């Protein structure tokens, strides 16, 4: 049973398209996150939701819009894709905001390539 | 220090060697320090979450220490094995509620 699952694993799309990446966790965690792995391989926080409410929104272009229909799902929608959006995107979840317990559980990543 | 810095960036050791890496982080607004192990083509997996100055945690041959006053943590691997080859990430959790990752130390253990 996959704890945090992301789909698709790979996504190749043309500039200007709109695409979504889905994330689901079956751990009963309260908080979910989207991270972007940049060109230098840093994992950088994009968004965080706690019980469907947005709690962290980093300086991300407003073409990126997270949507959390329930606390087990946090999807990432990207409008008007640009070449610079190409990266690996990781979804994660945690209980108690992760800081005092078991850390974050990550999905396997979605490699987005914009051509 | 404003960011999380890890050193070295990469490390090559022989099987059986013991090794350690360093993570430096801001000592202000500290809440917790995480260590993750990230194997190629897999997801990062949490190793330790530490919160108290002087904390020391151990899991098998891997252990970690924490100094929140000076802003550093060490990860130690005793008797490295080829299966220990991975990237080891540390991440600093601040009172603003963000988990900020370092770039990682890439460990390669040769048989």
């Amino acid at each position: 049973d996959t704890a945090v699952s992301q789909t698709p694993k790979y996504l190749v799309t043309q500039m200007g398209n709109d695409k979504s990446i889905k994330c689901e966790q079956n751990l009963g965690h309260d908080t979910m996150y989207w991270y972007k792995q940049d060109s230098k391989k840093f994992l950088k926080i994009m968004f965080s939701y706690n019980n469907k409410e947005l709690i962290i929104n980093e300086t991300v272009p407003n073409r990126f819009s997270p949507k959390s229909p329930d606390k087990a799902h946090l999807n990432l929608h990207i409008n008007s894709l640009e070449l610079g959006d190409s990266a690996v995107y990781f979804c994660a979840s945690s209980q108690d905001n992760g800081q005092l317990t078991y850390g974050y559980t990550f999905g396997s990543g979605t490699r987005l390539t914009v051509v | 220090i404003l960011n999380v810095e890890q050193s070295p960036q990469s490390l090559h050791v022989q099987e059986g060697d013991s090794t350690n890496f360093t993570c430096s982080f801001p000592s202000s607004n500290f809440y917790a320090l995480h260590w993750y192990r990230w194997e190629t083509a897999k997801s990062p997996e949490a190793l330790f979450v530490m919160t108290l100055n002087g904390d020391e945690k151990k899991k098998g041959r891997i252990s970690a220490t924490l100094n929140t006053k000076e802003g550093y943590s060490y990860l130690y691997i005793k008797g490295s094995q080829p299966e220990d080859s991975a990237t080891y990430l540390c991440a600093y959790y601040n009172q603003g509620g963000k988990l900020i990752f370092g770039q990682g130390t890439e460990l390669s253990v040769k048989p």
Side-chain angles (χ1 to χ4, degrees):
Chain A
D1 288 342
T2 304
V4 179
S5 59
Q6 292 179 230
T7 54
K9 196 172 174 67
Y10 300 97
L11 182 54
V12 181
T13 187
Q14 290 189 324
M15 277 175 56
N17 283 350
D18 302 339
K19 289 293 179 185
S20 293
I21 306 172
K22 295 186 177 180
C23 180
E24 176 181 4
Q25 54 96 3
N26 62 6
L27 298 166
H29 286 171
D30 293 325
T31 310
M32 295 184 72
Y33 312 85
W34 277 107
Y35 276 81
K36 179 180 180 181
Q37 185 182 19
D38 68 15
S39 57
K40 293 184 180 178
K41 297 191 177 180
F42 276 98
L43 286 170
K44 296 203 168 175
I45 183 72
M46 299 173 69
F47 301 104
S48 171
Y49 270 72
N50 180 267
N51 279 319
K52 302 195 298 174
E53 287 193 27
L54 180 66
I55 56 172
I56 293 175
N57 184 351
E58 282 297 276
T59 308
V60 176
N62 58 15
R63 297 181 295 104
F64 289 78
S65 54
K67 287 184 171 55
S68 182
D70 54 60
K71 77 171 194 176
H73 295 84
L74 180 61
N75 303 323
L76 185 64
H77 190 74
I78 315 169
N79 288 329
S80 303
L81 278 154
E82 299 178 359
L83 293 176
D85 297 331
S86 297
V88 183
Y89 293 85
F90 286 90
C91 177
S93 71
S94 72
Q95 190 66 301
D96 299 326
N97 291 328
Q99 74 277 22
L100 295 176
T101 51
Y102 304 109
Y104 290 12
T105 302
F106 281 86
S108 56
T110 295
R111 182 174 292 277
L112 171 65
T113 304
V114 183
V115 297
Chain B
I1 296 174
L2 298 177
N3 296 313
V4 179
E5 298 173 0
Q6 291 187 246
S7 63
Q9 284 195 14
S10 64
L11 192 54
H12 300 267
V13 301
Q14 288 294 130
E15 183 175 355
D17 288 350
S18 292
T19 187
N20 64 84
F21 333 128
T22 305
C23 172
S24 300
F25 54 87
S27 53
S28 59
N29 296 321
F30 175 85
Y31 214 98
L33 195 284
H34 294 203
W35 279 100
Y36 291 82
R37 181 171 179 271
W38 192 0
E39 290 182 73
T40 303
K42 294 188 178 180
S43 320
E45 290 184 359
L47 285 172
F48 305 115
V49 175
M50 296 188 288
T51 57
L52 298 175
N53 185 43
D55 250 358
E56 184 169 341
K57 297 216 171 178
K58 189 175 180 181
K59 187 182 285 189
R61 294 179 292 99
I62 304 177
S63 60
T65 60
L66 178 66
N67 183 321
T68 61
K69 292 183 180 179
E70 295 180 45
Y72 65 83
S73 175
Y74 294 133
L75 188 80
Y76 301 90
I77 302 179
K78 187 177 177 181
S80 303
Q81 300 296 308
E83 57 265 30
D84 295 330
S85 297
T87 296
Y88 291 84
L89 298 173
C90 79
Y92 155 79
Y93 194 97
N94 64 18
Q95 292 178 2
K98 295 179 190 176
L99 190 65
I100 300 166
F101 282 85
Q103 194 173 9
T105 292
E106 190 175 349
L107 174 67
S108 173
V109 182
K110 294 184 179 177

